Amino acid sequence: KILSYSVSKIVYVLLKIFQIVSKVEFTNIKCITLDPDFDEFEYCFLKSVNRTYKYLSLKVNLHKLPITKVKINVALLKRYSGYKPFLYNVTVDACRFIENPGYNPIAGFIHSLFKSHSNINHSCPMNEDIIVEKLSADFINTKLTKTLPFPHGDFLFHSNWIAYDINRATVDVYFTLS
């Protein structure tokens, strides 16, 4: 009985030692309107509820509805000495992607990071403002660290929102994976 207890305790300790624990923490968000006649950010912020719960929210008011031609360019950058391209840099026709999410698996993964917290879930034309509401670091943590093995470090998720072949806005989400 004592031997059985000792073996199970050793196994438990070894599992804890070799367990990979990663944690995503938002550090900043920047939303920039490049064409104020076309869109503007009503709000764009990080909110820290307590030491362990932080979320981001943003709302973009679109002034020229309906929008029928949208592309999104997303890039993941890692901080070395400055932010350098890390894993993805893709441009996706958003209207085509929403109609057929399987046509671009990378865009599908990126969309899954915020889909359940957003109203970006219907095909074109876009007839309403864009909202991402209370996207928590815990939710992103589950998606990133359990789906893909990411190295620790400081990252930037950079996105350009392009309508009618003109860049209308950028959203930069900075986060640390520790």
Side-chain angles (χ1 to χ4, degrees), residues 40 112 128 136 153 167:
E40 67 181 319
S112 76
E128 59 190 14
S136 72
N167 194 0

Side-chain angles (χ1 to χ4, degrees), residues 134-172:
K134 294 186 178 178
L135 177 60
S136 72
D138 287 339
F139 182 79
I140 298 295
N141 188 49
T142 301
K143 291 284 191 178
L144 277 185
T145 61
K146 295 201 170 133
T147 306
L148 291 175
F150 266 70
H152 294 186
D154 296 325
F155 294 90
L156 164 59
F157 177 80
H158 174 76
S159 60
N160 293 302
W161 297 78
I162 304 158
Y164 306 108
D165 296 319
I166 299 170
N167 194 0
R168 308 291 183 159
T170 63
V171 177
D172 291 338

Side-chain angles (χ1 to χ4, degrees), residues 45-61:
F45 63 85
L46 287 179
K47 172 123 179 153
S48 183
V49 176
N50 57 40
R51 289 179 8 172
T52 60
Y53 183 70
K54 191 181 281 189
Y55 65 83
L56 68 82
S57 292
L58 65 87
K59 180 177 181 184
V60 183
N61 296 321

